[in-house]
Amino acid sequence: MQNLSQVLASSAVEDSLQTVLIQTTDTCVAISDVLKQGSLAGILGMAGNENVQGEEQKKLDVISNDMLKDALLACPEVRAIASEEEEDIVPANTKGEYLIAFDPLDGSSNIDINAMVGTIFSIYRQTGDNPATEQDFLIPGKEQVAAGYVLYGPSSMLVLSTGNGVNMFTLDPKTNTFLLTEEGVTIQPETQEFAINMSNQRFWSESIQNYVNDLVKGKEGNRNKNFNMRWVAAMVGDVHRILCRGGIFIYPWDNKDPSKPGKLRLMYEANPMAMLLEQAGGKAYTHTDRILDIQPNAIHQRVAVILGAANEVDKCLSY
């Protein structure tokens, strides 16, 4: 069974990108170890401050962000980082070749109940003679050279694409290495499973309400088949389920908070997940645009997200 380093080398991934990926995933192994300690290490609960998104931070949000930040800033190949937990980008090595955007702990509201959380990352290749700026990060997602996430669940799993399909790796606790356990992940175009936060239904557009109502009606409605609903409350968990057994994940535009019509962050969540989904044969859109084509206007930009099985995404967009 091949480990991550062997898979990257055999896939002809550039040495410099291999270094960045190994540094990132090794840090995720360390985060996994911290998570396993839970309340024994006094890491649960609130940190007592808010992040740049205006969300109250968990202690582990801060811990995981600092771990990734410190590790990546020390990597000579990294030019700069952008984190969901940081107000501004953080320049690293001017001569570095890669920009990394990450959500250090997606689904952190699940921490205190011992449910799924994960780290999501997105990597771009970009060089320059001057220290990196926010403008350097404003690159469409289709320019990503790698994207992935590490899911911290019953077993810790790495899901990764370097632009040539999607592979899944499982962390071997005996060696603390990621071993390839599924190669060439694909998503079937049809599905009977959807993920959406139904508590926000009253804030959705009429078209999305009509679409979800038709899913709920099942065989008795005009879709002529029954659907199951699943909701992990962590994008990383819901996307992982889709990559494993299909489905559609929707976090639509809504009017709950006029200042945040989109919930998920383009740079840290939507772009990397869109790359993974497309590489596996699925689709990823906002209510109007292919996510990977969006020209970002800020590192903390939010968007609506509809991603998953290709035919079901098309059906949702048809509404």
Side-chain angles (χ1 to χ4, degrees):
M1 190 175 292
Q2 289 184 303
N3 62 32
L4 176 60
S5 296
Q6 292 168 329
V7 172
L8 293 175
S10 65
S11 302
V13 174
E14 288 186 68
D15 289 348
S16 55
L17 181 55
Q18 289 186 45
T19 299
V20 175
L21 287 169
I22 295 300
Q23 185 86 325
T24 302
T25 54
D26 280 353
T27 307
C28 290
V29 172
I31 293 172
S32 177
D33 287 340
V34 172
L35 282 166
K36 289 175 186 175
Q37 299 174 49
S39 57
L40 298 176
I43 56 174
L44 304 186
M46 310 308 295
N49 52 290
E50 293 184 346
N51 65 12
V52 65
Q53 314 292 338
E55 300 163 336
E56 194 170 3
Q57 290 177 304
K58 299 280 188 177
K59 291 178 183 177
L60 270 170
D61 282 325
V62 177
I63 292 169
S64 55
N65 181 70
D66 288 347
M67 291 172 71
L68 280 165
K69 179 180 176 181
D70 292 345
L72 293 171
L73 292 182
C75 183
E77 288 79 6
V78 174
R79 186 162 184 245
I81 66 167
S83 168
E84 182 183 331
E85 303 298 329
E86 301 278 344
E87 183 172 1
D88 301 310
I89 70 108
V90 183
N93 304 289
T94 301
K95 296 188 180 298
E97 298 178 50
Y98 297 97
L99 305 175
I100 306 180
F102 57 84
D103 181 348
L105 205 63
D106 180 65
S108 58
S109 61
N110 283 341
I111 292 171
D112 292 343
I113 60 167
N114 202 29
M116 283 186 188
V117 293
T119 297
I120 309 171
F121 58 89
S122 169
I123 303 177
Y124 298 82
R125 188 178 190 279
Q126 200 229 48
T127 58
D129 296 326
N130 299 310
T133 65
E134 178 175 337
Q135 188 64 38
D136 292 318
F137 274 87
L138 304 185
I139 305 170
K142 61 188 175 184
E143 301 297 329
Q144 292 172 105
V145 295
Y149 61 80
V150 173
L151 179 71
Y152 310 112
S155 59
S156 291
M157 297 193 68
L158 165 67
V159 180
L160 176 67
S161 177
T162 56
N164 188 27
V166 177
N167 292 329
M168 288 187 179
F169 302 78
T170 301
L171 182 63
D172 180 355
K174 295 179 181 178
T175 62
N176 265 358
T177 56
F178 282 107
L179 302 180
L180 180 64
T181 47
E182 187 167 354
E183 189 172 5
V185 175
T186 58
I187 302 170
Q188 293 300 310
E190 299 288 344
T191 187
Q192 290 179 244
E193 196 163 84
F194 70 101
I196 195 167
N197 186 351
M198 291 291 287
S199 67
N200 289 329
Q201 184 171 10
R202 65 193 184 279
F203 301 111
W204 301 337
S205 67
E206 182 180 358
S207 57
I208 284 292
Q209 294 203 42
N210 290 338
Y211 168 73
V212 173
N213 285 337
D214 282 346
L215 298 183
V216 173
K217 289 175 184 176
K219 281 187 176 181
E220 289 69 41
N222 61 25
R223 295 301 304 275
N224 297 312
K225 62 179 181 180
N226 292 326
F227 285 80
N228 291 324
M229 194 190 90
R230 297 289 185 267
W231 184 250
V232 177
M235 187 186 192
V236 67
D238 284 305
V239 169
H240 189 72
R241 185 184 57 253
I242 290 171
L243 287 168
C244 288
R245 70 184 195 198
I248 185 171
F249 170 87
I250 309 165
Y251 216 119
W253 174 95
D254 65 46
N255 61 11
K256 182 178 182 180
D257 182 348
S259 69
K260 300 175 184 177
K263 166 70 174 177
L264 301 177
R265 289 75 173 180
L266 175 63
M267 303 297 295
Y268 317 111
E269 296 166 318
N271 272 341
M273 294 308 199
M275 179 177 180
L276 292 171
L277 266 290
E278 287 199 5
Q279 286 288 316
K283 290 187 175 181
Y285 278 74
T286 66
H287 58 296
T288 54
D289 301 301
R290 176 181 177 240
I291 286 173
L292 294 181
D293 286 335
I294 297 173
Q295 173 59 53
N297 56 43
I299 59 169
H300 297 300
Q301 180 178 347
R302 296 173 186 255
V303 293
V305 171
I306 302 167
L307 56 77
N311 291 353
E312 194 59 38
V313 170
D314 288 341
K315 187 68 175 178
C316 180
L317 293 174
S318 73
Y319 278 69

